[in-house]
Amino acid sequence: ITNYSKSIELDPKSSGALYNRGLIYFEQKHKFELAEADFTKAIQADSQYAQAYFTRADLYESWGKDNLADADRKKFKSLGGEALPGFQNRRRVLFPNAEFDPNLAANALQQGSSTIVGRACASVKNGLWGLGGTERFKATNVRVVLFPATPYLEKWYQLREKKEDKKTGIFINREAQRYALITQTNSNGEFVFSRLKPGKYFIQIIFNFTQVRNKRIYTGSTQDGNVVTDWYEDRDFYIDRKTRLEKFVEIKSDGTSEKVMVKNALWGC
């Protein structure tokens, strides 16, 4: 950024330097407003800069501004640009269209005298339509992340609730990811965050586990005269599971201890 900024200072219409600085702001820093400004200036300096239109379209799409993204991609195509194979089937990536305040997040993580004591587990239904009951798995020895529930994070969560599906992922920017506390569950799925100040927090656990299921498999038959005997064998098979365990928690006064259960179903751990 320093080098490209120096180039821009020497030549404010250097479309290449503007584009490359914008690319760093967009892809590495996730400072979208600065990236948009640089891409736009690069296009103003060179109206035929096809790649700047294409990348600015990606930026607009990440904000959910599909009309602006479509317009830039049409311009890119009119300039002879061609998207890479598989582009139309890519998974969309969206970010909240909001400014992250690092000072607010840092202040929320200042030390206090409160504690969050938690337990995490996942529930999986067995059999067709869950008729085989429910199996519970303790989230043992897994990473637990505690974010301050800033306005930015809450907008991200609301966007994810509305827009996330198999073709669309909703993410927070890299800077926001750095403002968090991390711990790990024990062998019973328990975890603790201590020295917290009053405020609202968001707990997230990405839990990967393996479910063992048993199935009776037909292995063949034998015949003795007119009697036919079918043979079966019980076999184990394994299903890899992945789930998000999440919960908002609020500490209302300093010096208190909040007990929480982080799970993916109504049932407890």
Side-chain angles (χ1 to χ4, degrees), residues 6 35 136 154 179 188 240 247 249 261 267:
K6 184 63 177 178
R136 295 178 179 84
E154 291 192 339
Y179 288 86
N188 201 38
D240 291 329
K247 190 175 185 66
V249 182
M261 192 170 291
W267 306 279

Side-chain angles (χ1 to χ4, degrees), residues 44-221:
Q44 289 171 347
D46 179 4
S47 61
Q48 305 301 301
Y49 201 156
Q51 191 61 37
Y53 284 103
F54 185 82
T55 308
R56 191 174 67 172
D58 282 348
L59 170 61
Y60 285 143
E61 185 181 74
S62 73
W63 271 345
K65 297 181 178 181
D66 293 340
N67 291 337
L68 292 175
D70 290 342
D72 271 0
R73 290 203 175 102
K74 287 179 181 177
K75 182 65 176 178
F76 168 75
K77 190 173 182 180
S78 73
L79 293 172
E82 292 185 10
L84 294 173
F87 175 78
Q88 295 298 331
N89 296 322
R90 75 199 184 288
R91 189 168 189 252
R92 295 183 68 199
V93 174
L94 297 183
F95 294 87
N97 186 8
E99 188 71 25
F100 173 71
D101 186 341
N103 294 323
L104 185 64
N107 182 64
L109 292 177
Q110 293 296 312
Q111 289 189 6
S113 58
S114 295
T115 303
I116 292 176
V117 179
R119 178 179 291 178
C121 67
S123 299
V124 180
K125 292 182 179 180
N126 286 326
L128 185 64
W129 309 113
L131 296 178
T134 300
E135 189 174 1
R136 295 178 179 84
F137 296 83
K138 296 177 182 178
T140 61
N141 305 315
V142 296
R143 186 172 181 258
V144 187
V145 183
L146 182 80
F147 292 98
T150 61
Y152 176 85
L153 185 132
E154 291 192 339
K155 286 185 178 180
W156 160 78
Y157 187 82
Q158 291 165 7
L159 180 64
R160 200 186 71 180
E161 290 295 289
K162 292 178 181 178
K163 298 287 188 179
E164 185 180 57
D165 56 31
K166 292 182 179 180
K167 294 184 178 181
T168 306
I170 315 297
F171 298 92
I172 60 175
N173 67 39
R174 287 190 178 91
E175 187 176 22
Q177 291 175 22
R178 292 198 295 267
Y179 288 86
L181 301 176
I182 299 173
T183 189
Q184 183 169 308
T185 61
N186 62 16
S187 59
N188 201 38
E190 299 166 334
F191 62 90
V192 176
F193 286 102
S194 57
R195 292 183 291 181
L196 300 173
K197 62 183 294 186
K200 192 174 181 181
Y201 299 90
F202 178 71
I203 297 171
Q204 184 181 70
I205 301 169
I206 306 300
F207 183 28
N208 296 286
F209 59 99
T210 301
Q211 183 182 19
V212 182
R213 300 282 294 277
N214 183 273
K215 189 175 183 178
R216 185 154 294 176
I217 305 296
Y218 172 74
T219 59
S221 60

